[in-house]
Amino acid sequence: MNKRKKIKSVFLSSIHQNAGKTTVALGLYKVFKARKLRTAFMKPIGQQFVHVGDLDIDKDSYLMGELYHFRKNIKNMSPITIGRGFTERYVFEPRNDDLKNKIIQSFNNLTRGKNAIIIEGTGHAGVGSVIDLSNADVANLLGSKVIIVSEGGIGKSIDEIMLNKALFDLKGVEVLGVIVNKVLPEKYDKIKNTVDQGLKNKGVRLLGVIPWDPLLKAPTIEQVKVLLGLKLLCGETNLDRRAHHTIVAAMEPQNMINYLKEGTLVLISGDRIDNIMVAVSSHLITNNQKNLISGIILTGDLIPSSKVIEMLKKSRMPVLLAESDTYSVAAKLEHLICKIQKTDKDKITEATELVKKHVNVDLILENI
């Protein structure tokens, strides 16, 4: 087995999926670069991937590669992807040494001529145990110290942090500290102070507390279209608008107006012509404001008359068509997870600023 290199190495784990590791990775990478550190990135085990030529590349590695022009190293950034049947084949034919060698070789290739590397794990500390490569195993393999990313909360968050830390301790991996993410502004000071003291009581550092930022959750209309598999009726030139709020326009038209605010995605049954007209007129009379209505989804596989469609097209609002009923679409939107993509320049800038402002990068660099 190849010997790992000595380098500033930080491994991002979390208490569960979608806690914000990629947000932290984007921010740390930019801050490291600003400190004149030649920095690499890798995600050793990927579960969600895209096809790049004949390669399956983890989505987060692909994002970093596209953003920071790493494409020539993209294969090393994503050495192992868990596709369909991978786990089952491994259970019956374990080949742990082969997988470990692949990760180490990629690590060595990426860190050649570099000062630092950011390694992103997958989910909590134990994810990957079924193939003998949990986050704790991989962090140990690469000699990396770990940052656990948690979501806002006190009791439950600290419980889950300590549960994850126990596995890292068992594998001989040092937990550098914790970053708490997505903390509601009205609870920010309370959670920051309480979690800081609670972790101190356990001998764990709090490295930062990042507030909830609605922009990072807001999808574009194009992303809604793709992720929900909807059809486009019109408004193709404005699909980059963000849906910051969603309303179900099942109320009377005069009441609907009270729920409209900047960046609203309106769900309307395709036969509710009254509310469709309210949406169009509200958009047109506030056209000097920035995207009062970001888009419309017409539900129930119901399409209005040609005259209404013509009016929708003239408004230039993005209008999507859904076969499902209004409340089924609303439920899907409520649970929509929209990871940062290379086209999300506003989100990428915001993620960087959040890390710069709210994470103690000096403390991280001093201890890795």
Side-chain angles (χ1 to χ4, degrees):
M1 189 178 293
N2 294 314
K3 185 175 177 62
R4 62 188 177 229
K5 295 180 177 181
K6 183 63 178 174
I7 190 172
K8 284 186 177 295
S9 174
V10 61
F11 188 104
L12 300 176
S13 185
S14 63
I15 60 174
H16 51 66
Q17 284 188 316
N18 304 310
K21 295 188 303 298
T22 303
T23 298
V24 174
L26 285 165
L28 285 181
Y29 180 84
K30 291 286 283 186
V31 175
F32 282 15
K33 291 287 285 184
R35 305 287 182 92
K36 308 301 181 185
L37 287 171
R38 297 186 301 277
T39 305
F41 172 89
M42 76 182 298
K43 189 165 181 177
I45 311 288
Q47 293 181 315
Q48 298 181 28
F49 52 86
V50 295
H51 300 295
V52 181
D54 60 349
L55 300 173
D56 291 334
I57 302 299
D58 168 76
K59 285 185 176 181
D60 295 320
S61 295
Y62 178 75
L63 170 66
M64 298 292 283
E66 289 290 301
L67 283 178
Y68 302 120
H69 311 294
F70 295 154
R71 288 208 67 170
K72 66 179 181 179
N73 286 320
I74 198 76
K75 185 176 180 180
N76 287 314
M77 292 166 63
S78 180
I80 298 170
T81 52
I82 310 299
R84 185 181 296 274
F86 185 102
T87 300
E88 185 178 353
R89 289 193 299 273
Y90 184 92
V91 168
F92 289 102
E93 296 181 19
R95 49 191 180 90
N96 187 244
D97 284 345
D98 290 344
L99 297 181
K100 285 182 176 179
N101 280 328
K102 196 172 183 179
I103 291 172
I104 290 177
Q105 186 61 53
S106 291
F107 178 88
N108 287 340
N109 290 338
L110 286 169
T111 55
R112 191 173 295 119
K114 302 293 186 183
N115 306 115
I117 185 167
I118 296 167
I119 305 163
E120 184 176 336
T122 301
H124 59 71
V127 171
S129 296
V130 67
I131 61 169
D132 303 309
L133 283 172
S134 68
N135 282 329
D137 290 316
V138 177
N140 174 269
L141 179 69
L142 299 178
S144 179
K145 295 182 181 180
V146 168
I147 294 174
I148 297 175
V149 180
S150 171
E151 287 192 347
I154 298 174
K156 183 179 178 183
S157 292
I158 293 177
D159 288 347
E160 291 178 336
I161 288 164
M162 298 312 297
L163 179 63
N164 278 262
K165 183 177 181 295
L167 184 54
F168 287 116
D169 290 345
L170 184 66
K171 299 291 183 177
V173 176
E174 180 181 341
V175 173
L176 182 62
V178 172
I179 295 173
V180 180
N181 191 29
K182 303 180 183 179
V183 177
L184 294 174
E186 62 271 23
K187 297 182 178 180
Y188 187 87
D189 290 337
K190 176 182 177 180
I191 286 179
K192 183 177 181 180
N193 293 332
T194 308
V195 172
D196 184 28
Q197 185 60 53
L199 291 176
K200 278 180 182 175
N201 294 345
K202 305 291 186 183
V204 178
R205 299 184 186 95
L206 180 63
L207 299 172
V209 179
I210 299 174
W212 166 261
D213 190 318
L215 171 62
L216 298 183
K217 183 175 173 57
T220 64
I221 303 302
E222 171 71 20
Q223 290 165 348
V224 171
K225 172 182 171 290
V226 172
L227 291 170
L228 296 189
L230 306 181
K231 296 177 182 177
L232 176 68
L233 177 66
C234 59
E236 60 275 2
T237 58
N238 288 310
L239 289 172
D240 59 346
R241 292 179 178 177
R242 292 207 178 277
H244 292 282
H245 315 280
T246 301
I247 67 165
V248 174
M251 67 288 284
E252 290 300 311
Q254 67 270 19
N255 295 324
M256 172 183 160
I257 297 173
N258 298 324
Y259 292 92
L260 297 178
K261 47 189 174 181
E262 187 177 315
T264 298
L265 174 61
V266 185
L267 277 63
I268 311 175
S269 177
D271 59 354
R272 286 295 301 265
I273 306 304
D274 50 355
N275 281 338
I276 293 173
M277 297 305 294
V278 169
V280 173
S281 58
S282 297
H283 171 73
L284 292 175
I285 65 176
T286 57
N287 206 29
N288 59 331
Q289 294 183 20
K290 186 178 180 182
N291 302 339
L292 175 66
I293 295 179
S294 57
I296 294 174
I297 299 178
L298 299 179
T299 63
D301 203 21
L302 298 168
I303 300 176
S305 69
S306 58
K307 287 187 177 181
V308 175
I309 291 175
E310 185 179 348
M311 188 172 293
L312 287 168
K313 288 180 177 179
K314 285 182 179 179
S315 76
R316 301 177 65 190
M317 281 189 300
V319 180
L320 306 178
L321 303 176
E323 294 183 1
S324 303
D325 65 88
T326 302
Y327 292 100
S328 295
V329 176
K332 290 178 182 177
L333 281 169
E334 178 68 23
H335 297 97
L336 190 68
I337 295 171
C338 190
K339 293 180 73 67
I340 295 175
Q341 301 178 12
K342 66 175 182 177
T343 54
D344 292 327
K345 308 239 181 262
D346 51 352
K347 287 188 178 184
I348 292 162
T349 299
E350 189 74 1
T352 301
E353 290 303 312
L354 286 169
V355 171
K356 283 172 63 176
K357 183 176 180 180
H358 297 284
V359 175
N360 191 339
V361 179
D362 289 331
L363 185 58
I364 293 170
L365 289 174
E366 287 168 8
N367 289 279
I368 60 173

